[in-house]
Amino acid sequence: MASIWAVLWLVRYVRADTMTRASIRQAVRVRFGWRRLAPMAGLSVTDKTPPTVVVAPDGKVPKPRVLIPKIKVAPDRYGVLVRAECLPKVSLGEFQRAAPYLADAWRCARVSVLPDTPGRLLIRGVRMDPLIVRTDHTPTGAPPEEIATWHLGLDEYAQPVSVSLADVPGVTVAGLPGFGKTSLLNRFLCDTAPSDAIQYAVADGKVTSSAEGDYAELAQRAFAFVGDDLGEANALFTRLVELRRARSAAIRSVLGVKNMWHVGPSAAWPLTVLIIDEAHTYFREHKGSDPQTKKLAALAAENARLVEDLVKKGRSVGMLVIIATQKATGDAIPTFIRDVCPVGLSFAQKTAEAAVVALGEDIRNWPDANPTALQDPVYVGVASMAHQGRPGFTRVRTPYVADTDADRIAAATAHLTRDPAELLAQLVKAA
């Protein structure tokens, strides 16, 4: 059996790339050094219960047994994944306290310990920092298995991070220019565009027309697109609020439920996503007494009111607003909109105040994850976020999506573009 195991590992080692080979060597060291390392790290327990035979035939009393948690080790490109069985007084807390010692012994940049299944722990050790390794994402063009799951990238332990968008009314994305906001949104668009159960509207405050800017390739997959003109944006937001109201009035008779997420999005009732990039363009206060400034001020105030309506009332009818800006202060994203968006991400920020408005006051208690520490160029594409289902904050390396891939996906899925208002009218007529 041992020889078969050795052959399998040898074959895997020969076929692996350089990074995985280093991890395989590391996994072997972890596995065969465990029985010696565990007691030194305080990860063993002495069983003092007398055995069945209290006195051996030679008259000696057997020594108490030292129990060591059993482990299984698996390598990947970034390090090792260890599953350990818990013992009395050797459980989650003890492993977490020993994590720095394990990191030193295993030659890892960092080690994390999380619960796995009952009685088992998941220990992740990475040899190199996944946050500083650029990653690329090539969209397959196949419809996603879960339309409401947003795959973001890898965390600091090279584990995949995703966000559930089901029953989520809004998402905010903040960060300095050039640090990855648009690439993050591009991946979301490219991964979900092959599904006819989602439709997009885009308001890009950096451009004047859909032929310009970062979304030029994907504009053909959007049923509506506006640039930095406040009047055009106002017309789009008004159009979507009217859709929201029509959906609210029809949802029970058409879908038979009060919340679209009870049945999920479909081609006839798609998840409608409004992406607002450079949001301050549409919401910024304009001060002045001349007629033109007064008009812009009125449009900005109306835009904020309309988007507030979508965020606060659109969730149950399948409408989602994703708002991106450089600094998520109240002048860029009004607080009555920002504070009701449950999902927030922030790329690099220059000040602690900018980090707080993007992620909340609690980010002060997690200095390692604070986006002010992400200003180094090696962290372009790295965002901080509050991970759903985990305490505190985590950092995520988001991958880069090439423009050629975005163009390929948009061209292949353009035929799926539909106006949700027209789809609703067809449903109501059929009902």
Side-chain angles (χ1 to χ4, degrees):
M1 187 67 181
S3 60
I4 295 176
W5 180 86
V7 169
L8 291 176
W9 274 77
L10 180 60
V11 171
R12 182 177 182 183
Y13 184 83
V14 171
R15 292 181 175 180
D17 57 34
T18 303
M19 289 179 60
T20 306
R21 286 183 181 181
S23 296
I24 291 175
R25 296 193 296 270
Q26 182 185 31
V28 172
R29 290 196 304 270
V30 170
R31 178 66 185 87
F32 289 101
W34 178 243
R35 294 196 63 83
R36 183 179 181 185
L37 173 63
M40 291 191 292
L43 299 176
S44 64
V45 64
T46 301
D47 183 3
K48 298 180 180 180
T49 304
T52 305
V53 180
V54 178
V55 180
D58 58 3
K60 295 181 179 180
V61 178
K63 294 181 179 180
R65 296 181 300 161
V66 176
L67 304 180
I68 296 174
K70 295 180 180 179
I71 64 170
K72 292 183 179 179
V73 187
D76 62 18
R77 296 187 74 245
Y78 294 93
V80 292
L81 200 62
V82 181
R83 285 181 166 81
E85 294 185 0
C86 296
L87 294 174
K89 294 187 177 181
V90 183
S91 189
L92 178 63
E94 289 70 30
F95 271 92
Q96 288 179 333
R97 284 191 288 273
Y101 310 124
L102 298 179
D104 291 338
W106 293 348
R107 302 173 190 172
C108 289
R110 62 176 71 94
V111 166
S112 74
V113 183
L114 295 172
D116 190 18
T117 57
R120 295 177 182 270
L121 302 174
L122 185 63
I123 307 168
R124 175 59 168 165
V126 289
R127 290 178 297 101
M128 58 187 303
D129 189 349
L131 298 179
I132 64 175
V133 179
R134 168 177 161 155
T135 56
D136 297 304
H137 175 67
T138 303
T140 63
E145 295 181 4
E146 294 288 341
I147 191 66
T149 299
W150 187 355
H151 298 285
L152 299 175
L154 300 178
D155 68 8
E156 52 205 291
Y157 297 98
Q159 297 300 289
V161 177
S162 60
V163 171
S164 174
L165 299 176
D167 269 317
V168 171
V171 177
T172 59
V173 182
L176 296 175
F179 272 81
K181 298 188 300 296
T182 302
S183 184
L184 172 72
L185 296 175
N186 269 345
R187 180 184 182 178
F188 171 72
L189 290 165
C190 288
D191 284 352
T192 55
S195 172
D196 58 3
I198 187 169
Q199 299 295 337
Y200 316 94
V202 178
D204 187 357
K206 301 189 300 293
V207 302
T208 57
S209 72
S210 61
E212 305 171 4
D214 299 311
Y215 303 100
E217 294 82 6
L218 293 161
Q220 58 188 313
R221 182 59 178 89
F223 70 87
F225 190 108
V226 298
D228 57 3
D229 185 278
L230 266 63
E232 293 180 1
N234 185 263
L236 172 60
F237 300 155
T238 300
R239 175 180 170 187
L240 291 174
V241 168
E242 291 174 352
L243 171 64
R244 196 277 306 162
R245 290 172 177 165
R247 280 188 168 188
S248 296
I251 187 170
R252 292 193 185 187
S253 60
V254 173
L255 297 184
V257 294
K258 294 185 292 184
N259 188 333
M260 183 278 290
W261 291 106
H262 293 168
V263 295
S266 64
W269 191 296
L271 171 63
T272 302
V273 180
L274 169 61
I275 296 174
I276 306 176
D277 202 349
E278 300 298 338
H280 54 273
T281 302
Y282 308 108
F283 304 137
R284 180 175 62 87
E285 293 185 12
H286 295 263
K287 297 180 180 180
S289 57
D290 61 283
Q292 181 62 22
T293 301
K294 287 183 177 181
K295 179 181 179 182
L296 292 175
L299 284 171
E302 179 69 3
N303 287 342
R305 185 190 67 80
L306 293 169
V307 174
E308 179 188 15
D309 180 285
L310 293 174
V311 173
K312 290 185 175 180
K313 302 177 183 179
R315 172 187 56 82
S316 62
V317 295
M319 302 187 74
L320 168 68
V321 182
I322 301 177
I323 307 174
T325 188
Q326 296 177 22
K327 191 176 179 181
T329 49
D331 57 336
I333 306 177
T335 55
F336 50 80
I337 296 175
R338 184 191 68 204
D339 294 345
V340 294
C341 293
V343 178
L345 299 92
S346 179
F347 291 86
Q349 296 285 1
K350 279 192 173 182
T351 65
E353 290 72 20
V356 169
V357 296
L359 298 174
E361 190 69 31
D362 195 35
I363 189 61
R364 297 185 189 272
N365 300 321
W366 300 83
D368 290 343
N370 198 304
T372 56
L374 301 177
Q375 297 180 58
D376 192 291
V378 300
Y379 292 120
V380 170
V382 177
S384 294
M385 62 175 293
H387 197 301
Q388 294 172 329
R390 290 188 192 177
F393 295 82
T394 188
R395 294 173 294 175
V396 183
R397 159 61 66 177
T398 62
Y400 173 75
V401 178
D403 292 341
T404 53
D405 287 323
D407 190 30
R408 170 176 58 86
I409 294 297
T413 61
H415 68 284
L416 299 176
T417 305
R418 297 289 187 274
D419 187 335
E422 296 178 0
L423 294 173
L424 179 62
Q426 294 172 10
L427 281 177
V428 172
K429 184 178 180 180

